[in-house]
Amino acid sequence: MSAAEEALVAQRVLLSIEGMTCATCAGRVEKALNALPGVQAAVNLSSEQAEVQYDPARVTAAVLESAVTRAGYCVRHETRELTVSGMTCATCAGRVEKALAAVPGVTRAEVNLASEKASVDGLAGVLRPADLIAAVRRAGYEAALLTGDFERDRALAAAEEQRLRRESRRVAAAVALSAPLLLMMVGVALPAWLQLLLATPVQFVLGARFYAGAWKALRAKTGNMDVLVVLGTSTAYLYSLYLMWAGPPGTELYFEGSAVVIALVMLGKWLEARAKRSTTAAIEALMSLRPERARVEREGGEVELPVAAVAMGDVVVVRPGEKLPVDGLIVSGQSEVDESLITGESLPVAKRPGEKVTGGSVNGSGLLRIETTAVGEQSVLSRIIALVEHAQAKKAPVQRLVDRVAAVFVPVVVAVAVCAFLGFWLLAGHPAAGIIAAVSVLVVACPCALGLATPTALMVGMGAAARAGILIRDTEALERAHRLDTVILDKTGTMTEGRPAVTEILPHGVGEDELLRLAAAAQTGSEHPLARAVLAKAEGMSLPKLQAFQSHPGMGVTASIEGWRLAIGNRRLMRDHRIPTQALEARAERLEGEGRTLMWVGALEPQGRLLGVIGVSDPLKPTAREAVLRLRTAGIETVLLTGDNERTAQAVAAQLGIGRVRAGVLPEQKAQEVRRLQAQGRHVGMVGDGVNDAPALAAADIGIAMGTGTDVAMQTAGITLMRGDPRLIGDAIAVSRATRDKIRQGLFWAFIYNVIGLPVAAFGFLNPVIAGAAMALSSVSVVSNALLLRRWRPAAGRQ
């Protein structure tokens, strides 16, 4: 190929490269890419991008990424979400998935039949939305990019509603035309010309969508539900047409076997679509929370603006009974705020100046002025909606097995139909009976139910969890949660209020006020909850200036103040700095036995000496003991994990009813404890709320983050609890188990239906009309069974 011809086929992409620090790095990446056949690359260090021209026939995007990886760097990935319309069964979803996976730059494509959405991962800079949409269209379907724009999402929802209304009219027409043909089944004779007149528009006008779908499938060298329906009903129609012209007068015709089946399948798909809409009820409820306009303070008064026009720092005025349009801090005013649809909290929450509020909550009786702290996609409501939508679009692991079955389903059904026809014709000498048996086989088979059983249950389960304040990051997390047999509970902030208060001050060699003043001054450099407790106790005191500060994770801090070099923390820190603690050990042990957390204070120079002990109490959450009891009742063992000493940990565990305790655990040891239990064959869940918990949350089979904690913990965890009620831990596992049960029920009925229906039809015991009705109702029943999950209610919400 000449250079000119190569230029014509070459694609130009911009790869985003991570990890480059200098010109040498850029040169290494550039060399690795240019070593590939037909690739010309130039790497820009400042923009962290590689401009690459390559021939897709010789080098794929995956090969480009592999070259960058071998050079020691990473290519950034991005995710695109699409809505896909026109799919009718699992084989359709599989075909769209294959088409998307073949697009250059795509590394993963998953299509959810129930939500009619596709989630596509690929290389940033290579993944073009236009290419994805074109690939879906080439496969015979329509697609649109989901952008997270609320207005566009509303427009798509309105278009879907309009499509359903059109389909309703078509279904009504099909039922009206085919209903008279049912009289044939009860012995009422209709003239052949009238049967033809009624059946033809149903078969070829109202049923045209099945022919279009079948043609697209066959053109793509695959099969789907449309192929089965077209083969079955066309056979019945054409055979009836043949008998009408060639058979003797009074010959039984089978026009009802074509028209009624078409009408029943259309009715079934319409009912299925209506039922599937209910699976997204949680998302629709969340989207309805966001008001369209906000009242913003400007010079000279208040101005009403679209929510999208509100900026960070703007002060928004919310009157009684209105929805809060933004996330923010209350500047003035007091009220009760209903956060039930966001956090699952059933009762309104009292809010005062300085406290956080979340957009989408409903204001009570007070007038609030709120300073905006998050807008657009950064708001809590937008992030929740994006998380749930992304999770619902993903494919569950169990669905991949079902997809492999669905891939061979249509060819197997056609083979069974051919065998049924040949059996009746060649062995029994009844070709007419063979045709009816073959039609029944083609019509009764339903790949739809197989494709819908898992995704519908997962979508409804995630929606039910979201309404309860339980956010599930992906389908794998929902599936894995039901297997948990051990849950590790972090103490502070998870089982306790996370708001410790100083209860005892035990000085040694200094005055009580002096001990508190020095400890508080040292803690001004710390963000730890215990530090905040000391500072709160010292409020109003004149504190000396902090001169030096160093944190020792899991042990405490060292600091320099007014000539003092202090160590404040646990016994391990005292031992490390050779500060004796014997003088206060007896009183300290008594406090630890009462569940107090102790902060030892010692001076490092001129020689290590003890200055005293500060006792801190962090009360247990009111529902903590009940949460542990519910987990035990569900057959789940609990383990308390804390950095506190053994005596304090055992005292807290006794109050909670927890038998296993791991005390004195450093942050880096939390993940090791998770892996130790996993090595024993346990399925481990880790519950935490702090930055120190993130490694353990990631290492666990399921990480569960308290939504009252840090963003790092929530980003790492598979499940986030939107409020700090530990009873939601058991609820998260309960909704996973309930969803697992619905998946099993759906798959059982989908498989058993086909296992029984196919041989019954093949042996001629099933009328095509009854077969069509059964086929139509099978997928509806699977979806309806999944919708029963909407009745699930969290134990944490029941009083």
Side-chain angles (χ1 to χ4, degrees):
M1 184 182 291
S2 68
E5 289 174 324
E6 286 187 358
L8 287 174
V9 298
Q11 284 197 8
R12 177 183 173 276
V13 296
L14 285 174
L15 298 179
S16 295
I17 311 295
E18 291 181 327
M20 296 188 299
T21 58
C22 62
T24 305
C25 299
R28 192 152 64 240
V29 173
E30 194 170 286
K31 182 179 179 180
L33 288 170
N34 284 322
L36 298 173
V39 173
Q40 293 182 347
V43 178
N44 187 317
L45 176 63
S46 59
S47 65
E48 295 186 320
Q49 288 183 324
E51 183 179 350
V52 183
Q53 282 191 331
Y54 72 102
D55 178 1
R58 302 173 67 189
V59 175
T60 65
V63 172
L64 296 177
E65 181 182 20
S66 178
V68 174
T69 302
R70 285 197 304 273
Y73 306 92
C74 297
V75 179
R76 291 191 186 96
H77 282 235
E78 61 185 353
T79 300
R80 300 287 187 179
E81 307 283 348
L82 304 171
T83 59
V84 182
S85 57
M87 297 186 297
T88 58
C89 64
T91 49
C92 296
R95 188 156 76 251
V96 174
E97 206 166 89
K98 286 181 181 178
L100 289 170
V103 174
V106 171
T107 56
R108 180 196 61 84
E110 292 183 353
V111 178
N112 189 314
L113 175 64
S115 64
E116 296 185 325
K117 290 180 181 177
S119 175
V120 184
D121 286 346
L123 306 183
V126 182
L127 199 61
R128 298 187 180 95
D131 294 342
L132 301 177
I133 292 171
V136 174
R137 286 176 176 166
R138 283 195 301 272
Y141 306 91
E142 289 298 320
L145 182 69
L146 282 172
T147 61
D149 185 334
F150 278 89
E151 295 302 322
R152 181 168 180 179
D153 289 347
R154 286 192 180 110
L156 288 172
E160 177 64 16
E161 183 65 34
Q162 189 175 10
R163 188 189 69 81
L164 276 175
R165 282 198 293 269
R166 285 198 306 269
E167 190 63 22
S168 300
R169 292 192 290 269
R170 293 170 62 84
V171 169
V175 170
L177 287 171
S178 58
L181 294 171
L182 287 173
L183 297 173
M184 304 287 293
M185 298 183 66
V186 294
V188 178
L190 292 179
W193 64 268
L194 181 57
Q195 294 182 50
L196 178 64
L197 189 65
L198 291 169
T200 300
V202 176
Q203 183 73 38
F204 298 110
V205 179
L206 298 173
R209 51 163 284 193
F210 296 110
Y211 285 92
W215 168 245
K216 291 173 183 176
L218 293 174
R219 193 174 58 185
K221 298 179 181 178
T222 185
N224 62 0
M225 183 206 75
D226 295 324
V227 171
L228 298 178
V229 171
V230 165
L231 282 175
T233 59
S234 297
T235 300
Y237 180 89
L238 294 174
Y239 185 55
S240 299
L241 199 62
Y242 166 77
L243 293 176
M244 182 178 172
W245 296 107
T251 300
E252 182 182 0
L253 305 178
Y254 302 100
F255 283 117
E256 82 279 2
S258 64
V260 174
V261 165
I262 290 274
L264 287 171
V265 173
M266 289 179 66
L267 177 62
K269 297 305 289 182
W270 179 79
L271 290 172
E272 177 190 313
R274 302 292 296 188
K276 281 198 295 185
R277 286 195 62 194
S278 299
T279 65
T280 59
I283 288 290
E284 292 170 1
L286 287 169
M287 292 182 69
S288 69
L289 291 178
R290 185 173 181 175
E292 296 181 6
R293 304 188 70 79
R295 201 176 292 105
V296 182
E297 288 187 354
R298 290 285 189 264
E299 291 184 10
E302 298 173 5
V303 178
E304 195 168 290
L305 300 173
V307 170
V310 179
M312 296 275 287
D314 280 348
V315 175
V316 176
V317 179
V318 185
R319 293 173 180 164
E322 293 182 338
K323 293 176 182 176
L324 277 60
V326 296
D327 294 359
L329 294 172
I330 297 178
V331 177
S332 66
Q334 297 184 19
S335 187
E336 301 282 323
V337 176
D338 181 359
E339 301 175 331
S340 56
L341 275 176
I342 298 172
T343 67
E345 177 61 63
S346 58
L347 298 175
V349 181
K351 296 290 183 179
R352 294 176 176 79
E355 294 188 331
K356 293 180 180 180
V357 289
T358 304
S361 305
V362 180
N363 187 21
S365 57
L367 178 70
L368 297 177
R369 294 175 62 245
I370 301 168
E371 181 182 349
T372 303
T373 57
V375 294
E377 294 181 0
Q378 298 305 312
S379 69
V380 170
L381 181 59
S382 295
R383 286 160 62 191
I384 290 173
I385 292 171
L387 178 65
V388 178
E389 282 187 324
H390 180 69
Q392 289 186 339
K394 297 289 287 293
K395 180 173 290 188
V398 68
Q399 183 64 25
R400 295 185 177 94
L401 171 63
V402 176
D403 288 347
R404 287 197 291 272
V405 174
V408 298
F409 187 86
V410 173
V412 168
V413 170
V414 172
V416 172
V418 170
C419 290
F421 169 69
L422 293 176
F424 275 95
W425 180 27
L426 299 178
L427 300 178
H430 296 293
I435 288 176
I436 299 306
V439 170
S440 296
V441 167
L442 292 169
V443 171
V444 79
C446 186
C448 310
L450 287 174
L452 289 169
T454 299
T456 49
L458 287 169
M459 288 176 66
V460 179
M462 286 180 169
R467 285 195 302 273
I470 302 166
L471 298 185
I472 299 169
R473 179 175 294 276
D474 53 41
T475 54
E476 290 189 21
L478 186 67
E479 274 201 293
R480 288 198 305 267
H482 79 264
R483 301 191 187 98
L484 295 182
D485 52 35
T486 305
V487 170
I488 298 176
L489 301 167
D490 180 56
K491 180 176 77 72
T492 304
T494 300
M495 305 308 286
T496 67
E497 293 285 2
R499 295 191 295 271
V502 173
T503 53
E504 291 87 15
I505 300 176
L506 308 179
H508 181 70
V510 295
E512 184 175 310
D513 287 349
E514 178 68 3
L515 176 63
L516 179 61
R517 191 177 72 92
L518 289 172
Q523 297 287 15
T524 55
S526 174
E527 290 295 323
H528 196 281
L530 296 181
R532 291 197 293 269
V534 174
L535 289 168
K537 184 69 174 178
E539 189 174 359
M541 284 186 170
S542 177
L543 302 180
K545 185 178 179 181
L546 180 65
Q547 296 168 332
F549 176 87
Q550 184 177 359
S551 175
H552 303 274
M555 292 191 291
V557 301
T558 52
S560 297
I561 303 151
E562 285 187 340
W564 291 86
R565 285 197 62 221
L566 301 176
I568 304 175
N570 57 24
R571 283 185 178 84
R572 182 178 298 178
L573 186 67
M574 296 298 107
R575 285 197 302 269
D576 286 353
H577 289 89
R578 298 181 181 179
I579 297 173
T581 60
Q582 292 88 344
L584 294 176
E585 277 292 352
R587 297 168 70 185
E589 289 177 9
R590 178 178 57 80
L591 292 176
E592 288 169 346
E594 295 172 0
R596 302 288 194 273
T597 297
L598 301 186
M599 302 172 65
W600 296 81
V601 184
L604 304 181
E605 294 177 357
Q607 60 182 11
R609 70 184 181 96
L610 184 66
L611 298 181
V613 174
I614 297 175
V616 178
S617 174
D618 188 4
L620 294 176
K621 291 179 178 177
T623 58
R625 184 174 177 84
E626 182 185 349
V628 172
L629 178 61
R630 286 179 176 173
L631 288 171
R632 189 187 307 129
T633 304
I636 297 170
E637 183 177 3
T638 52
V639 180
L640 185 67
L641 196 67
T642 177
D644 267 337
N645 66 78
E646 187 72 27
R647 274 187 293 271
T648 300
Q650 290 291 352
V652 172
Q655 295 176 55
L656 291 170
I658 296 176
R660 295 187 64 180
V661 178
R662 287 279 290 151
V665 179
L666 296 176
E668 61 270 18
Q669 294 174 330
K670 292 183 176 181
Q672 294 174 11
E673 177 63 16
V674 170
R675 286 189 281 268
R676 186 182 69 82
L677 289 170
Q678 289 171 330
Q680 297 174 7
R682 294 178 176 271
H683 295 94
V684 181
M686 171 71 199
V687 188
D689 73 330
V691 174
N692 291 339
D693 299 321
L697 291 170
D701 295 284
I702 291 293
I704 302 176
M706 307 299 283
T708 50
T710 64
D711 283 345
V712 174
M714 289 186 278
Q715 290 167 8
T716 307
I719 297 175
T720 297
L721 310 180
M722 289 302 293
R723 64 182 192 277
D725 189 343
R727 292 179 300 178
L728 285 176
I729 301 166
D731 287 331
I733 298 171
V735 75
S736 171
R737 291 179 174 180
T739 304
R740 181 266 321 260
D741 290 343
K742 286 300 176 190
I743 291 173
R744 285 182 172 179
Q745 291 167 17
L747 290 175
F748 170 79
W749 288 114
F751 276 109
I752 204 71
Y753 161 82
N754 285 295
V755 166
I756 294 174
L758 283 173
V760 169
F763 285 105
F765 298 122
L766 205 58
N767 181 285
V769 172
I770 303 301
M775 183 265 203
L777 290 175
S778 63
S779 55
V780 176
S781 63
V782 166
V783 175
S784 300
N785 182 57
L787 286 175
L788 293 177
L789 264 176
R790 295 177 66 185
R791 299 179 181 178
W792 179 86
R793 292 293 180 270
R798 295 195 287 267
Q799 303 298 325

